[in-house]
């Protein structure tokens, strides 16, 4: 019997045996049982290239369970200015959004606090003429096109003419310059949300199977700096009259209010505002049990943490989840290869801990959400987040958040906002969309602990990931009927410039594995805006049909080979994991 220290993990013993076998030259005598000394190996022997990374997963108990809507998306209120809101009924956009359901759609962003509701049905009459005859009655043309909408289970889905889409792209390009000027000067004009606009927004989320979280204006203030909710009441009453199922937020990044309008709002006052909103919701039967999320603070710097602490003292029990936003700010991110910086990918971990520490002091166990995740170039300074390279950061954010107990992660943005969207103005899905679709299809809410051996660096306490090879494990999504309960999904990010070999051990050993290898398509490599899955380029079949995401079956016991600078999902079938048998 091989003797080993009682604290050694079985995977470590398996690794020792593997290395011993690999390092014994042919014809040499077998080592004595219990002998630990390894024979010297020269670099030319080739053994180094055959060294395996051994991977096992704890299949008995999940380390945590995230929301069914874990991966969610956002639409920015600037859509009211640039005109794209009128095209959310597009059959193609609805099909793409449906692919990410179940999920939340947060209607919020920097312009949340300049949003005002007007219960008027046809603002086109008050708008004045457009730049040419075709656009003179621009919104009326869109309304007329809505007459021929396809009604599917109460949903309105439109086929807008190509000419109208071309004109809209021209209009949006001109308005984008205006919006950028506002953003860089930090001066924002008011946005008007009409009843018809709200109807179109809700039609989109309802048709797509998403749940709307609506951000309310928090900068309407009384003379004593308390929140003035009088205008919100009209919005709530209209939404209730239409029986719209909506959750609510109040404001966006309140730590920046002084810069926005020279009026700061401290955490205690913001907490009182949330309590006031909670009482307002309870006064309306439709929303008496509606969910309320906040306070949507920014990066947890010292002053932001102080604001959150004061807020939690007053309104910790008024909110259903505590929300904050993470922007990967790094001025040195200017090219695709900068995504290989582990320091950039790891900044999120410490910030999650800071938020959770404050939350657990006041309301232990309260859910924490990443209410918005933006790339370093979300202010439009770079054009990289629509490429394959951005997927390393996005998938790492999802894996790290799930492992550290973040319940929901909301992505900036589903469609047309800066350079951080999943779908472009041609309604073409970008690489991060396909990555998100794979995640939705394969990854379930139960998070599993990963045990890795064979990586040279010493593991850091409490961390599952290891440097440039990042491995996460979940139960396979129970919505995917191709896999029986008890299957496990691994998703792996290889940031190395060389391929890595992984051998499944323990309960995963000798199981059939389905590989979903996502790689860039075309000569641009990681800067490509197209991707391939197991060698096949991903593209929509038609406006109403997403492609099949076909796996590549690997025989039992086969080593997983992860190519350099790639992302892979691996479903280990029929593991019969106890942690994954039940919902």
């Amino acid at each position: 019997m091989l003797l080993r220290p009682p604290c050694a993990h079985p995977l470590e013993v398996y690794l020792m045996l593997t290395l011993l076998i690999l390092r014994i030259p042919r014809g040499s005598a077998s080592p004595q049982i219990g002998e630990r000394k390894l024979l010297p190996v020269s670099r030319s022997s080739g053994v180094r290239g055959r060294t395996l990374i051994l991977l096992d997963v704890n299949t008995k108990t999940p380390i945590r369970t995230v929301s069914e809507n874990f991966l969610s998306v956002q639409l920015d209120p600037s859509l009211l200015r640039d005109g794209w809101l009128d095209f959310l009924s597009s059959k193609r956009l609805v099909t793409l959004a449906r692919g990410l359901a179940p999920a939340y759609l947060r209607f919020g962003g920097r312009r949340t606090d300049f949003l005002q509701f007007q219960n008027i049905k046809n603002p086109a009459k008050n708008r004045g003429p457009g730049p040419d005859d075709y656009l003179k009655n621009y919104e009326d043309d869109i309304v007329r096109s809505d007459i021929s909408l396809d009604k599917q289970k109460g949903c309105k889905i439109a086929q807008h003419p190509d000419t109208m889409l071309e004109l809209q792209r021209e209009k949006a390009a001109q308005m984008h310059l205006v919006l950028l000027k506002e953003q860089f000067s930090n001066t924002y004009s008011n946005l008007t949300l009409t009843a018809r606009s709200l109807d179109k927004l809700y039609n989109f989320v309802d048709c797509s199977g998403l749940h709307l979280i609506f951000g309310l204006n928090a900068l309407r203030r009384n003379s004593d700096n308390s929140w003035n909710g009088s205008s919100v009441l009209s919005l709530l009453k209209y939404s209730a009259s239409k029986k719209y199922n909506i959750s609510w937020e109040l404001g966006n990044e309140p730590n920046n209010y002084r810069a926005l309008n020279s009026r700061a709002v401290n955490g205690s006052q913001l907490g009182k505002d949330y309590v006031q909103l909670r009482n307002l919701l309870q006064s309306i039967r439709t929303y008496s049990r509606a969910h309320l999320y906040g306070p949507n603070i920014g990066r947890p710097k010292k002053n932001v943490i102080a604001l959150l602490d004061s807020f939690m003292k007053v309104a910790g029990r008024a909110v259903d989840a505590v929300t904050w936003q993470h922007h990967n700010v790094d001025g040195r991110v200017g090219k695709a290869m900068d995504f290989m910086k582990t320091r950039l990918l790891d900044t999120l971990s410490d910030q999650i801990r800071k938020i959770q520490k404050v939350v657990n002091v006041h309301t232990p166990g309260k859910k924490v959400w990443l209410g918005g995740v933006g790339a370093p170039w979300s202010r439009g300074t770079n054009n990289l987040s629509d490429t394959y390279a951005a997927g390393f950061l996005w998938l790492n954010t999802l894996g790290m958040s799930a492992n550290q107990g973040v319940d929901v992660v909301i992505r900036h943005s589903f469609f047309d906002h800066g350079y951080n969207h999943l779908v472009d103005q041609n309604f073409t899905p970008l690489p991060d969309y396909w990555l998100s679709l794979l995640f939705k299809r394969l990854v379930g809410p139960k998070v599993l602990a990963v045990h890795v051996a064979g990586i040279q660096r010493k593991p850091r306490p409490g961390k599952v990931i290891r440097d440039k090879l990042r491995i996460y494990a979940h139960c396979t999504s129970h919505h995917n009927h191709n896999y029986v309960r008890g299957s496990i999904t691994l998703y792996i990010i290889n940031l190395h410039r060389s391929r890595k070999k992984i051998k499944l051990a323990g309960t995963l050993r000798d199981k059939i594995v389905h590989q979903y290898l996502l790689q860039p398509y075309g000569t641009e490599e990681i800067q490509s805006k197209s991707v391939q899955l197991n060698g096949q380029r991903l593209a929509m079949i038609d406006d109403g049909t997403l492609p099949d995401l076909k796996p590549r079956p690997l025989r039992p016991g086969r080593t997983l080979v992860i190519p350099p600078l790639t992302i892979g999902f691996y479903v280990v079938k029929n593991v019969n994991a106890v942690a994954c048998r039940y919902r």
Side-chain angles (χ1 to χ4, degrees), residues 85-89 139 142-143 146 195-205 244:
L85 182 68
D86 295 318
F87 291 85
L88 291 185
S89 56
E139 185 162 326
I142 295 171
V143 171
D146 287 350
R196 174 176 289 153
S197 296
L198 182 59
D199 293 342
K200 290 180 178 181
L201 175 64
Y202 194 82
N203 176 72
F204 173 70
V205 298
Y244 289 161

Side-chain angles (χ1 to χ4, degrees), residues 520-564:
Y521 178 86
T523 58
E524 297 89 350
E525 297 182 340
I526 64 172
Q527 287 187 264
S528 175
K529 296 184 181 181
S530 299
V531 295
Q532 55 184 327
L533 180 65
N534 295 328
Q536 297 294 317
R537 184 182 183 184
L538 289 177
M540 294 186 72
I541 297 174
D542 55 46
D543 287 350
T545 311
L546 293 168
D548 290 334
L549 303 178
K550 297 180 180 180
R552 178 190 175 194
L554 304 180
R555 66 177 182 270
R558 180 170 176 175
T559 300
L560 307 183
V561 180
I562 319 297

Side-chain angles (χ1 to χ4, degrees), residues 45 76 87 96 119 134 169 222 228 257-258 318 357 434 462 474 533 566 568:
S45 67
D76 193 272
F87 291 85
L96 290 167
N119 192 359
Y134 187 82
R169 281 191 282 269
N222 298 314
N228 186 333
Y257 283 169
R258 182 179 294 279
K357 182 178 179 181
W434 297 117
H474 289 234
L533 180 65
T566 54

Side-chain angles (χ1 to χ4, degrees), residues 261-291:
N261 73 342
S262 301
R263 173 180 280 187
V265 179
N266 61 41
S268 296
Q269 180 58 59
L270 189 65
K272 295 175 184 177
D273 301 337
Y274 265 80
V275 172
Q276 179 184 343
L277 175 56
R278 170 61 78 187
N279 292 335
L280 187 60
L281 292 172
Q282 290 176 343
S283 69
I284 300 174
R285 179 178 297 179
T286 303
Y287 300 120
S288 61
R289 296 185 179 180
H291 288 166

